[in-house]
Amino acid sequence: MAGQPLNQPAEIPAELDRWNWGAFFLNWIWGIGNSTFIALLALIPVVNFIMIFVLGARGSRWAWQNRAWRDAEQFRKTQRNWAIAGLAVWVVSIGGCATMVGGIPFVLKGSDAYRMTMDVVRADVRVKAAIGDDLADNFWVGGHLNVNANGAGDAQFSIPVHGAKGKGTVYSHLVRNAGTWSTRLLVVRVDGVDAPMVLTNEDHVPIPGAAIGI
């Protein structure tokens, strides 16, 4: 009879009962598009982590049962398109996250506070003697940078550095008032040396000998 779906009986053919990447990548979105509303469980925290694997394993079977398909080829092409779309979304999402995370060092290093910190460290005679005249910072740096519209701000950095003579970590705390940064704390710890080098400590905060938490 015209219009009669061909996916009857509901048991999916063995060659179509395979891992469904579209269901795995797009979970609840795929579920709505394939009339498989159990996929909405993927919206529930904690449950969602389990559900995406359940959807990957059983998605093809549920989609075959819950929608009317003209033939196996239509089902195969539709699920392939879902898989391609899901993969594209994940690639874009992961790429976006990686760009954001990878951009953090550039933001920190591009600040005046960071440049002030590194200029003082590179000019210090004790640091040169311990690490080298060629002192350089690593790509990955830690810390935070806040600048308010009124010109105030706060910056804290944890900067791994290295040179011909050794390696270490620079810790600094700067405060910004009326658009101008001032260094409140600047300490360099050299690997293998117990005592830290205190270059600046305007607020006279305690400097632990074994570790520095900033």
Side-chain angles (χ1 to χ4, degrees):
M1 183 173 63
Q4 177 68 28
L6 299 183
N7 56 319
Q8 300 295 334
E11 186 68 27
I12 186 172
E15 68 272 15
L16 300 180
D17 190 11
R18 59 182 63 182
W19 181 269
N20 193 306
W21 287 108
F24 177 79
F25 285 130
L26 296 177
N27 45 83
W28 66 270
I29 300 174
W30 172 92
I32 293 175
N34 287 271
S35 301
T36 305
F37 300 109
I38 192 174
L40 295 175
L41 291 175
L43 294 171
I44 302 175
V46 181
V47 175
N48 54 2
F49 180 76
I50 299 173
M51 196 62 196
I52 62 174
F53 289 96
V54 174
L55 287 168
R58 299 186 62 86
S60 294
R61 192 174 308 174
W62 286 337
W64 178 263
Q65 295 171 349
N66 294 334
R67 280 189 56 186
W69 302 95
R70 184 176 62 252
D71 53 30
E73 186 59 25
Q74 183 202 16
F75 178 86
R76 186 179 292 107
K77 287 183 177 179
T78 300
Q79 298 309 313
R80 184 186 303 122
N81 290 339
W82 276 105
I84 294 171
L87 180 60
V89 168
W90 272 68
V91 168
V92 171
S93 299
I94 293 173
C97 291
T99 300
M100 290 179 61
V101 173
I104 292 175
F106 290 106
V107 173
L108 296 178
K109 291 183 176 184
S111 67
D112 291 337
Y114 188 92
R115 285 192 289 269
M116 283 180 59
T117 296
M118 292 305 300
D119 286 346
V120 174
V121 169
R122 288 191 175 102
D124 190 271
V125 175
R126 293 172 296 169
V127 176
K128 288 181 180 181
I131 297 180
D133 292 334
D134 60 340
L135 181 145
D137 53 345
N138 294 354
F139 175 77
W140 291 107
V141 299
H144 70 262
L145 175 69
N146 297 314
V147 179
N148 301 324
N150 61 3
D154 182 87
Q156 294 188 10
F157 302 115
S158 173
I159 309 168
V161 294
H162 62 275
K165 297 180 179 180
K167 298 186 296 183
T169 305
V170 176
Y171 300 92
S172 66
H173 177 210
L174 298 91
V175 174
R176 191 173 193 255
N177 289 304
T180 301
W181 288 101
S182 63
T183 303
R184 308 307 301 174
L185 179 68
L186 180 54
V187 177
V188 178
R189 288 198 61 85
V190 179
D191 292 0
V193 178
D194 292 335
M197 297 181 190
V198 182
L199 279 60
T200 303
N201 187 4
E202 294 294 335
D203 299 320
H204 305 289
V205 298
I207 306 296
I212 298 174
I214 295 180

